[in-house]
């Protein structure tokens, strides 16, 4: 029989029933044994976790300050009031930072990340007061991929990443694709009314290179090689209508007018020249602008001289986000872990579909060697595993402030459950280390 004679094709009904039955069985098995399902689907395994026996330095009082220091990891120090029942004000913290410049500078460079916890920093203005106590040389130009807005009533404070709750953002060094990326960045936990997740993972990218260097082939290949970044941003008007790139490509984050804060193409070209980006407009493809530039895979830290895995690969490659959903599924576990696992499977399928109709460079972002040859998938997987092994992740507490040395310690954003407005993390950054840290020529 044919489809036009009114009778179903032979075998279609049994096949459909079998497919539905298989799907029902898979769903039932996942719900009844979610750990089994996640364990078989996720590519994150126990060996990818950071070592359980990371050294801890214990705690000690900062002399004469009323503040105690606790080492959370070799690259992470937490500062909090000595008496946790008596929170200290944001003004107190700001004065402490002003009065202990040398100690804080040395501590900052020793670790790379500092958490201020238990201080009454209640709003964006109070956060900006603490930031300005560290440095007055703050920046407002943002050429990164995340959607971000300035906070009313402040000069330098912005939202960190205005993604929907289900989006994860792999860890990275802020704007590491630039010649001169920010030196310091701060995050502030302003609102934490979400249900689950939402951490800001911190990654020691100096440790990432140490891990990667254990493989002689990778060390020789990437120590002197250069990476080429390709970033595409469609025009704002096309982002408001349906198209494959603006509607389906998760790597297409924002339009170029929002990126450059102008609709004047000449000003875009001027900014591209300043940043040493090669920029090309494609009027026949959603009015997009393509930015390309080349940077080394590794750089030396400007103070310590140590080698750092310093690039934006972990954000700009399409499969990186998929891997991180699978990591989240394994970390969350149980029924709640099925949600990030489902997202990982969805994005894996979506990128697979888009890869059948697009070239690699047509996605919102892509990377390659500087000669345009692709980075082997096995190497990308090795990069990801090295990042995981050097990443620490813990829940925020309300009004936490996190300061990172952006030349060493990267940050990300874990997906979360709850309404979009239930969680708000703010940020500020500086393109330079505080001048007062080097006033005596240290």
């Amino acid at each position: 029989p044919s489809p036009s004679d009114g009778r179903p094709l032979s075998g279609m009904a049994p096949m459909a029933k079998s497919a539905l039955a298989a799907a029902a069985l898979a769903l039932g098995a996942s719900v009844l044994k979610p750990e089994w399902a996640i364990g078989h689907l996720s590519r994150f395994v126990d060996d990818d976790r950071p070592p359980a026996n990371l050294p801890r330095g214990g705690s000690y009082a900062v002399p004469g300050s009323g503040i105690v220091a606790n080492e959370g990891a070799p690259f992470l120090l937490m500062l909090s009031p000595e008496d946790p029942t008596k929170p200290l004000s944001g003004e107190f913290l700001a004065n402490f930072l002003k009065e202990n410049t040398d100690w804080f500078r040395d501590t900052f460079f020793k670790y790379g990340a500092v958490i201020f916890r238990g201080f009454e920093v209640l709003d964006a203005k109070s956060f900006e007061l603490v930031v300005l106590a560290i440095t007055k040389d703050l920046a407002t130009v943002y050429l990164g991929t995340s959607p971000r807005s300035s906070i009313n009533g402040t000069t330098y404070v912005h939202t960190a990443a205005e993604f929907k709750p289900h989006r994860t953002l792999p860890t990275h060094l802020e704007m590491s694709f630039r010649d001169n990326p920010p030196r310091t960045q701060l995050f502030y936990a302003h609102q934490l009314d979400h249900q689950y997740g939402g951490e800001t993972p911190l990654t020691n990218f100096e440790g990432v290179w140490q891990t990667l260097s254990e493989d002689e082939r990778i060390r020789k290949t990437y120590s002197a090689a250069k990476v080429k970044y390709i970033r595409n941003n469609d025009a704002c008007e096309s982002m408001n209508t349906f198209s494959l790139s603006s509607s389906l490509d998760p790597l297409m984050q924002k339009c170029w007018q929002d990126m450059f804060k102008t609709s004047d193409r000449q000003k875009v070209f001027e900014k591209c020249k300043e940043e040493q980006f090669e920029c090309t407009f494609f009027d026949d493809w959603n009015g997009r602008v393509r930015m390309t530039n080349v940077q080394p895979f590794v750089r030396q830290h400007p103070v310590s001289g140590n080698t750092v895995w310093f690039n934006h690969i972990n954000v700009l490659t399409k499969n990186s986000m998929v891997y991180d959903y699978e990591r989240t599924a394994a970390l969350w576990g149980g029924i709640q872990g099925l949600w990030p696992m489902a997202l990982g499977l969805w994005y894996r399928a979506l990128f697979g579909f888009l890869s059948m109709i697009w070239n690699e460079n047509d996605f919102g972002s892509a990377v390659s060697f500087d000669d345009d040859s692709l980075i082997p998938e096995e190497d990308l997987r090795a990069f990801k595993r090295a990042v995981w092994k050097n990443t620490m992740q813990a829940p925020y507490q309300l009004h936490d402030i996190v300061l990172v040395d952006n030349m060493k310690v990267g940050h990300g954003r874990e997906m979360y459950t709850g309404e979009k407005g239930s969680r708000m993390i703010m940020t500020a950054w500086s393109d330079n280390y505080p001048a007062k840290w080097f006033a005596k020529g240290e």
Side-chain angles (χ1 to χ4, degrees), residues 12 82 222 288 301 324:
M12 284 192 66
E82 280 189 291
Y222 293 94
R288 70 169 40 181
H301 190 280
D324 278 351

Side-chain angles (χ1 to χ4, degrees), residues 80-106:
S80 53
E82 280 189 291
D83 186 347
T85 66
K86 297 179 180 179
L88 300 173
S89 69
E91 185 176 357
F92 179 96
L93 176 58
N95 289 332
F96 165 79
L97 293 168
K98 292 176 182 177
E99 294 168 1
N100 294 272
T101 298
D102 291 349
W103 176 87
F104 187 69
R105 175 203 60 214
D106 295 343

Side-chain angles (χ1 to χ4, degrees), residues 14 19 24 46 84 96 99 107 127 148 159 176 181-182 192 198 210 222-223 238 245 263 271 276 303 331 369 376 441:
D46 285 341
F96 165 79
E99 294 168 1
T107 299
F127 171 53
R148 184 174 289 180
T159 57
S176 60
L192 299 174
Q210 292 171 358
Y222 293 94
S223 59
S238 70
S245 58
S263 57
K271 187 62 179 177
Q276 298 192 59
V303 175
L331 294 180
F369 287 105

Side-chain angles (χ1 to χ4, degrees), residues 294-345:
V294 172
Q295 295 288 355
F297 281 90
V298 300
R299 299 191 200 186
Q300 273 59 54
H301 190 280
V303 175
S304 71
N306 295 335
T307 303
V308 180
W309 181 247
F310 202 97
N311 55 68
H312 230 65
I313 292 174
N314 203 40
V315 171
L316 299 184
T317 51
K318 62 180 185 294
N319 288 326
S320 182
M321 184 173 67
V322 175
Y323 282 126
D324 278 351
Y325 278 122
E326 295 174 10
R327 171 182 178 269
T328 300
L331 294 180
W332 286 14
I335 293 294
Q336 62 266 32
L338 294 177
W339 174 228
M341 191 68 248
L343 289 169
L345 293 173

Side-chain angles (χ1 to χ4, degrees), residues 190-207:
H190 177 64
Q191 184 177 353
L192 299 174
D193 295 329
H194 59 288
Q195 299 164 355
Y196 202 80
E199 300 91 346
T200 292
L202 299 176
T203 298
N204 177 12
F205 279 94
E206 182 180 311

Side-chain angles (χ1 to χ4, degrees), residues 1 7 44 185 194 224 248 298:
R7 291 178 292 167
F44 178 85
Q185 186 166 13
H194 59 288
L248 292 182
V298 300

